[in-house]
Amino acid sequence: MKSLEDLEKALDRGLEAWESDIALKDARKMGQKCVREIKRETPIDTGNLRRRWDSRAEQGGNDIQIHLENDAEYAPYVNDGHRIVRGEKTVGYAEGWHMLEKGVASYTDNYLHDDLQGMVDDIGRAMKGK
């Protein structure tokens, strides 16, 4: 870089790339990795619950949100636990598997740092115009 104007242009390129593509693309990858870890923690009976995990990333203003979803109607009960009712009487409690929380924690411990570093590296390349 030869001048402050060159630096300003490089920063603008990096910011534009970040806003338009890099952050959303990397957020989608992060969501997919989270789903992979959540699936590892999900119990298997028929396999339906495990297959129904999905992620999506969306951008709203300056924020990007990663949504982790399972559309099986019984997913919250397996994750959080539930009462066991027989004949209108509660006869026990089934502990939750907490697969969502365990999967996100596993992702955070194993992948988050590297994924954030990859995002920074992508921004650096965008700033250089590559």
Side-chain angles (χ1 to χ4, degrees):
M1 290 186 212
K2 298 183 183 205
S3 69
L4 251 30
E5 290 174 1
D6 291 340
L7 177 61
E8 183 179 358
K9 288 177 187 176
L11 290 172
D12 286 341
R13 279 194 307 268
L15 184 59
E16 286 174 20
W18 165 262
E19 290 174 346
S20 65
D21 186 44
I22 292 171
L24 196 56
K25 176 189 67 145
D26 286 345
R28 286 185 185 120
K29 287 181 187 176
M30 293 166 120
Q32 291 169 350
K33 285 183 182 179
C34 273
V35 165
R36 184 178 64 212
E37 294 302 312
I38 293 167
K39 284 182 176 184
R40 288 182 179 158
E41 298 293 336
T42 303
I44 300 173
D45 187 13
T46 63
N48 183 53
L49 187 61
R50 186 175 276 193
R51 278 191 304 273
R52 307 279 291 265
W53 282 109
D54 195 18
S55 69
R56 63 184 167 84
E58 61 184 35
Q59 188 168 4
N62 292 331
D63 296 332
I64 294 180
Q65 296 180 349
I66 300 172
H67 299 270
L68 304 169
E69 304 168 327
N70 190 312
D71 62 357
E73 69 180 49
Y74 56 93
Y77 304 111
V78 174
N79 190 64
D80 301 329
H82 58 88
R83 294 180 304 137
I84 300 172
V85 179
R86 291 198 175 89
E88 297 183 17
K89 286 189 176 183
T90 300
V91 295
Y93 183 79
E95 291 294 324
W97 284 80
H98 305 289
M99 58 221 170
L100 177 63
E101 294 84 354
K102 290 177 185 176
V104 171
S106 177
Y107 168 80
T108 301
D109 292 343
N110 298 315
Y111 300 106
L112 182 62
H113 181 268
D114 292 338
D115 287 348
L116 291 175
Q117 185 61 49
M119 196 181 294
V120 169
D121 293 343
D122 290 345
I123 293 167
R125 283 190 290 277
M127 289 173 66
K128 292 177 183 176
K130 295 181 180 179

